Amino acid sequence: GAGVSQSPSNKVTEKGKDVELRCDPISGHTALYWYRQSLGQGLEFLIYFQGNSAPDKSGLPSDRFSAERTGGSVSTLTIQRTQQEDSAVYLCASSLVAGGRNTGELFFGEGSRLTVL
Amino acid sequence: GEDVEQSLFLSVREGDSSVINCTYTDSSSTYLYWYKQEPGAGLQLLTYIFSNMDMKQDQRLTVLLNKKDKHLSLRIADTQTGDSAIYFCAELGGTGRRALTFGSGTRLQVQP
């Protein structure tokens, strides 16, 4: 597709359930990022992929959060045993790495809004 | 770790200039960015500046960088109602994490 695509756009779940959020980056973009945007907060970095590997997982808030990327394309963010504090908009972004150096121009999806009841 | 701070809210009248400020802590920052988020939409890159520059102008947008004070600003000339949005400052560090660190965003409200 032309842009970064995320699904679902909205997800309401009950506390304790697992959720999966999907991101389809721009074709050819090798870097993929997950951020979380909570009400009144900035963007909180979660994890970054270069290809299929994740050099930086330092932002994942707990071991309930995991992410994978397969085929250097689609990524899935999984939250196990969701808690109310997980409610947020989860934003995915991708970027084209030029010459092995990431100039940081990120292209964002519209986000997946997660509500945990 | 890296930190980026912005004021939360700015209100201006249509036609006036808007200045949104940002401070950051990472002295090894290589690039600094301004992103815009309109209601219900993802973030879009507005402009960016390399750390060895002190000014960049792009139509109505002027970015000023004071590297000594680690201060970045975005000036929007002749602000229009369509400029109402949240503006995020972000920085890319020169070492370690290869992902942008964002500020909390400044909500710009343009009064007609």
Side-chain angles (χ1 to χ4, degrees):
Chain A
V4 177
S5 177
Q6 292 189 246
S7 62
S9 54
N10 270 289
K11 175 74 176 177
V12 180
T13 191
E14 292 179 347
K15 179 181 170 181
K17 301 281 190 185
D18 297 352
V19 297
E20 281 191 354
L21 307 176
R22 176 189 165 108
C23 173
D24 201 343
I26 292 172
S27 178
H29 280 194
T30 60
L32 185 148
Y33 307 80
W34 285 98
Y35 286 86
R36 178 167 73 173
Q37 185 177 22
S38 304
L39 189 64
Q41 303 290 319
L43 271 70
E44 177 188 4
F45 170 78
L46 298 178
I47 189 169
Y48 150 62
F49 288 92
Q50 178 58 49
N52 290 337
S53 65
D56 192 343
K57 303 180 184 179
S58 62
L60 294 176
S62 75
D63 59 8
R64 296 186 295 104
F65 287 71
S66 62
E68 64 176 15
R69 189 179 185 196
T70 54
S73 181
V74 172
S75 176
T76 303
L77 176 69
T78 302
I79 309 172
Q80 295 178 308
R81 304 182 302 281
T82 52
Q83 303 294 311
Q84 287 182 332
E85 62 262 27
D86 300 334
S87 297
V89 177
Y90 289 81
L91 292 169
C92 177
S94 69
S95 70
L96 181 64
V97 178
R101 180 163 182 82
N102 186 346
T103 60
E105 183 171 356
L106 303 186
F107 295 82
F108 280 84
E110 294 188 357
S112 293
R113 181 177 296 277
L114 174 66
T115 303
V116 182
L117 302 177
Chain B
E2 303 95 347
D3 193 22
V4 179
E5 295 198 355
Q6 306 176 235
S7 55
L8 292 181
F9 187 75
L10 176 66
S11 180
V12 300
R13 290 196 177 276
E14 191 173 18
D16 288 350
S17 291
S18 308
V19 179
I20 303 171
N21 294 301
C22 169
T23 58
Y24 59 97
T25 58
D26 186 356
S27 58
S28 68
S29 291
T30 54
Y31 291 88
L32 296 118
Y33 307 82
W34 287 103
Y35 280 79
K36 177 182 181 182
Q37 185 181 36
E38 297 187 11
L43 278 73
Q44 284 189 300
L45 178 66
L46 272 182
T47 186
Y48 68 91
I49 188 167
F50 189 49
S51 60
N52 68 353
M53 298 169 64
D54 53 19
M55 187 181 90
K56 181 177 180 181
Q57 187 147 8
D58 183 1
Q59 299 183 338
R60 292 190 296 121
L61 305 179
T62 303
V63 178
L64 295 178
L65 174 61
N66 182 327
K67 196 172 179 183
K68 174 176 167 290
D69 294 339
K70 301 192 191 68
H71 182 268
L72 183 75
S73 68
L74 174 69
R75 179 177 181 268
I76 306 172
D78 187 26
T79 313
Q80 303 297 307
T81 54
D83 295 324
S84 294
I86 301 175
Y87 291 80
F88 289 89
C89 171
E91 64 93 22
L92 180 67
T95 59
R97 174 177 295 174
R98 301 305 294 160
L100 271 63
T101 301
F102 284 84
S104 55
T106 299
R107 182 179 294 276
L108 175 65
Q109 182 179 72
V110 183
Q111 313 272 12

